[in-house]
Each structure stands twice: as structure tokens, then as C-alpha cells.
Amino acid sequence: MENLLVTGGSGFIGSNFIRYLLKDTDFKGRIVNLDKLTYAGNPENLVGLEEIFPGRYIFIKADICSMDAIEPLFRDYKIDTVCHFAAESHVDRSIVGPSDFIQTNIIGTFNLLECARKYRDNIRLFHHVSTDEVFGSLGKDGLFTETTSYKPNSPYSASKASSDHLVRAYFKTYNLPVTISNCSNNYGPYQFPEKLIPLIIINALSETELPVYGDGKNVRDWLYVKDHCSAIKMVMDRGKRGETYNIGGNNEMENIRIVELICDYLDNCERPKMHKSRRELITFVKDRPGHDRRYAIDSTKIQRELGWHPSESFETGLEKTIRWYLENRGWIDHVKSGEYQSWIDKQYGKSI
Ligand code: NAD
Ligand code: DAU
């Protein structure tokens, strides 16, 4: 990896991945971060990297749906490796408005694959970052493995499933060197507060309602974001071309339990204390349509074949995450007020 194109690098996982590569690994090459800076892309997530790593970190504002914008980047920056995070990522938004999900997640991925095919001679790897949601919903028992059949239930997961199939097809048909990873729910620093954990932390800090969908007993399998980053790096370094790898932390948890843990943690550490327990802010609200009941990942393959193991337990990861939000109130304020979006508008003109 000498010239790595990271798409969606200004979002939650992408920004953690870029920082992880530059600061915590033996990666010596150059990163080109291609991001459209939608509402979920925040330059503040990577502030200062251009100065700390001159010439090794470059930011380009572009839309993967525009072939004209992205094709020259492959040529000009001599891209040899792609790590593709860019996506519309929030299930609730996909239910309200699926169109952007179809465009970015399917057409955008197709455009990147076409660029990689065009510059095939340079390309050593196209890594596609995907989700466990492509497998649908589990009953009480069982785990998703790499051979579980696809059964996506939301426009988001259907668009990600579609992109996975395209990536696989480019391996089979064009012999493009690809890998795919399907990961469970991530949490950690810089996650946009539309997702469960940051939303609950931020609402609990401001003592506002904590919305829990349905009966709160839906189960997700949580992984600390840095563990996801280390798994992706390992797949990129050592994964077999054409293969998919499931990534998960073996941390199944009901939503309501997570909300309670966050309430209790903040009750015990926050000053001034609330006059009542934060659990009293919990409000059961209308369920998400088509809400998947349970996700759980079997990550035996990546553990056995590549030797990957997560470093954080749910307890240590959640504590680190809550502490990060407590210590970064400025980031929260900018995200909540949309201040970073005005900065983007000033820097780059109105959103594209
Ligand atoms: P995110 O929403 O925080 O970030 C997405 C990034 O993509 C943003 O920076 C956004 O500006 C950018 N983007 C969106 N549309 C674009 C376009 N058309 N062109 C260029 N850039 C565009 O998402 P995330 O949670 O960091 O997820 C990153 C990837 O990981 C996604 O592909 C998602 O499906 C996958 N994933 C996420 C999780 C999770 O728990 N968050 C778990 C498994 C897999
Ligand atoms: O499984 C991987 C997926 O995890 C990723 O592919 C997605 O990009 C990511 O957004 C995430 O999807 P979820 O839908 O599982 O995440 P979310 O944080 O939106 O919701 C987690 C659970 O919490 C889910 O069961 C719905 C519930 N929930 C969510 C919100 C935002 C609530 O009960 N209340 C809420 O306010």
C-alpha cells in the first residue's frame, strides 16, 4: 500500500481508520481521503492531520457518484489500494428517504469498481467495508457466518448487499483483487449522534428524552471502532483475494441494557448530579419499521485464518467512549449546531 484511496474517510469509522493507520501502524504510504462531506462527514474528525503528516494525508472533497470527479484521482495519485467506507449509513434515514442510499451505496460503489478496473494494472487491492445487516435478522439462536445467505430488510441493508454483490462480481468476472468485510455495530469516538450510543450519551448529558424503539429487546453485537480498524488493516494486509471476512466483538446486548448502562455510568460520574436517575429519561417509542430483531457475528474465520482478536471488552470500550464524549463537548456542540457544516460551506461553497 503506497497510495491508498480511502473513501468516506471523514465519517465515523473512516476517520478512526485514517488516524489508526497513520499513528498506530507500520503504514508508510500516502492516504488520499475522498469524501463528499455529507451531514455525516466532518472535517473536524481529522483536524491537523495534513500538518502532522505533510504529503502523507491529502483530503479531496468529491462525490463517488460522479465518475468525472473520481476517475482522475486514480490516475493523478497513482492509486494502488482502495479502502471503501463511503456510504449513507443510517437505517432510519434509509426508511424515510432511500434514494441517496441507492445512489451512493450502489452507483457510487459501481463507479469506484469501474475506476479500479480501468487502472487495473496499478490496483493491488479493492477492500469493501460492509455490514452484518446484509444477512437480515436472527432468531434467538445462531450466528451469521460468511456463508449465511443474504436477506437484507431495510433499504440501507439492501443497498449494501447490492454493493457487496457488485464487488464479488468484479472479482469473479474481471479478476479484480478484492476483499470484503461484514462487520457488526461499531461504537466509539466521533460517531454521529443519530446512532444509538452517541445519541443516548448526548441526550443523557443534556437531560432530555432517551428514545428506545419498541420493547428495547432488539439485540446488536457491539465492536469498539478501533478493533474494527485493526481487523480491516489485517484483512487488507493478509486476507485472501476474493474472500469475505465477518468481523464482530462477541458482545451481544439488548438495546435497553445499553441505555441503562450509559445512564448508570453518567449518574455515577457526572457533576452536578441530576436530582433523579437518568433511567427516568428512558422513553419507549414507536418501533422502527422492519426492525431486525437480533444480529450476532461468528468471527471464527478472521480469528483463525488471520489471527485477529478484539482488544476491548464492551465494558472498557463503552467507558472509553463515554469519556471521549465527556471530554469533547466542543465537538458535540459543533455537530449539534451544524457549525461544522457552515465551515464546509465557507471552505468549499455550498454542499454539492
Ligand atoms: P458515516 O455515515 O459516519 O460516514 C460515511 C462517510 O461517507 C461520511 O464522511 C460521508 O460524508 C461520506 N459519504 C457519503 N456519501 C458519499 C458520497 N456520495 N461520496 C463520497 N463520500 C460520501 O458511516 P460509518 O458509520 O463511518 O460507516 C462507514 C462504512 O462502514 C459504511 O460503508 C457502513 O456501511 C459500514 N459499516 C458501518 C458500521 C457501523 O456500525 N457504523 C458497521 C459495519 C459496517
Ligand atoms: O450492524 C451494523 C450496522 O449498525 C451498520 O451497518 C449501520 O451503518 C449502523 O448504523 C448500525 O445500524 P443499526 O440500525 O443497528 O444502528 P442504530 O444505532 O441506528 O440502532 C441500534 C439499535 O438501537 C437498533 O436496534 C435500533 C435501536 N435504536 C436506535 C436509535 C437511533 C433505538 O432504540 N433508539 C434510537 O434512538
Side-chain angles (χ1 to χ4, degrees):
M1 287 197 273
E2 282 171 23
N3 292 302
L4 169 64
L5 179 70
V6 175
T7 69
S10 301
F12 163 49
I13 307 175
S15 62
N16 276 283
F17 182 71
I18 289 175
R19 208 172 307 96
Y20 168 75
L21 269 193
L22 290 171
K23 294 192 168 173
D24 297 326
T25 72
D26 56 359
F27 174 75
K28 297 277 184 296
R30 172 170 71 173
I31 296 175
V32 178
N33 171 15
L34 183 175
D35 198 299
K36 179 181 174 182
L37 298 181
T38 66
Y39 78 93
N42 183 351
E44 214 173 316
N45 295 356
L46 291 166
V47 77
L49 280 194
E50 267 143 338
E51 289 76 41
I52 304 170
F53 299 97
R56 292 192 57 214
Y57 172 71
I58 293 163
F59 175 74
I60 309 275
K61 185 177 189 300
D63 184 343
I64 56 170
C65 296
S66 164
M67 199 58 162
D68 290 347
I70 63 173
E71 200 256 7
L73 301 177
F74 278 75
R75 183 193 60 225
D76 296 348
Y77 291 99
K78 300 186 172 52
I79 298 302
D80 54 58
T81 309
V82 179
C83 185
H84 176 34
F85 292 94
E88 288 293 338
S89 68
H90 190 41
V91 174
D92 293 329
R93 285 180 192 258
S94 82
I95 295 166
V96 177
S99 174
D100 285 349
F101 289 72
I102 305 306
Q103 289 306 317
T104 288
N105 300 359
I106 305 177
I107 306 297
T109 302
F110 165 70
N111 286 343
L112 287 164
L113 286 165
E114 278 292 273
C115 291
R117 184 160 81 94
K118 178 161 184 193
Y119 294 98
R120 186 47 253 251
D121 290 346
N122 297 338
I123 298 293
R124 293 189 210 152
L125 177 67
F126 185 110
H127 180 72
H128 178 58
V129 179
S130 193
T131 169
D132 59 357
E133 298 202 9
V134 298
F135 301 122
S137 186
L138 289 164
K140 274 198 182 342
D141 306 312
L143 301 170
F144 297 134
T145 71
E146 286 78 2
T147 56
T148 302
S149 54
Y150 276 34
K151 210 176 175 188
N153 290 319
S154 72
Y156 163 70
S157 53
S159 67
K160 290 295 293 187
S162 175
S163 62
D164 291 9
H165 290 319
L166 280 170
V167 175
R168 189 177 165 280
Y170 271 62
F171 172 72
K172 283 282 175 189
T173 304
Y174 304 115
N175 204 21
L176 190 73
V178 310
T179 44
I180 300 176
S181 51
N182 295 89
C183 187
S184 61
N185 285 62
N186 283 214
Y187 66 101
Y190 300 102
Q191 188 167 28
F192 192 81
E194 62 187 353
K195 310 282 164 60
L196 180 70
I197 289 183
L199 177 87
I200 297 299
I201 296 172
I202 289 173
N203 283 12
L205 283 174
S206 57
E207 300 178 20
T208 49
E209 193 176 273
L210 308 178
V212 174
Y213 298 166
D215 63 3
K217 291 191 192 306
N218 298 66
V219 171
R220 297 291 182 267
D221 184 354
W222 295 90
L223 182 69
Y224 189 65
V225 64
K226 199 167 177 182
D227 283 325
H228 187 190
C229 295
S230 70
I232 291 172
K233 169 83 163 60
M234 207 168 261
V235 171
M236 291 177 74
D237 285 345
R238 307 220 295 269
K240 195 166 167 225
R241 283 13 183 184
E243 292 281 311
T244 71
Y245 295 86
N246 278 1
I247 305 170
N250 207 16
N251 277 311
E252 283 186 61
M253 189 85 60
E254 285 183 352
N255 295 335
I256 185 67
R257 182 71 194 124
I258 293 177
V259 176
E260 289 171 350
L261 283 173
I262 295 171
C263 288
D264 296 350
Y265 187 92
L266 290 175
D267 282 347
N268 289 328
C269 76
E270 262 301 272
R271 301 284 185 280
K273 285 206 183 300
M274 257 180 77
H275 63 279
K276 57 181 183 180
S277 159
R278 283 179 170 76
R279 286 188 183 210
E280 288 181 41
L281 299 169
I282 294 174
T283 312
F284 289 92
V285 298
K286 196 166 165 284
D287 209 353
R288 172 187 278 174
H291 196 176
D292 287 336
R293 192 62 173 170
R294 175 173 165 259
Y295 303 147
I297 279 274
D298 179 347
S299 55
T300 310
K301 178 175 172 181
I302 187 172
Q303 299 203 14
R304 193 187 53 232
E305 292 184 12
L306 307 184
W308 173 82
H309 295 281
S311 299
E312 301 291 343
S313 66
F314 190 66
E315 288 66 33
T316 59
L318 187 64
E319 179 168 354
K320 280 187 180 175
T321 304
I322 297 175
R323 292 247 61 96
W324 187 86
Y325 282 94
L326 286 173
E327 286 157 14
N328 288 277
R329 305 278 183 119
W331 184 91
I332 296 175
D333 291 344
H334 297 161
V335 168
K336 279 174 80 175
S337 69
E339 201 175 297
Y340 72 101
Q341 286 286 0
S342 354
W343 183 87
I344 293 168
D345 289 346
K346 265 193 234 127
Q347 194 85 355
Y348 300 102
K350 275 276 166 219
S351 293
I352 47 177

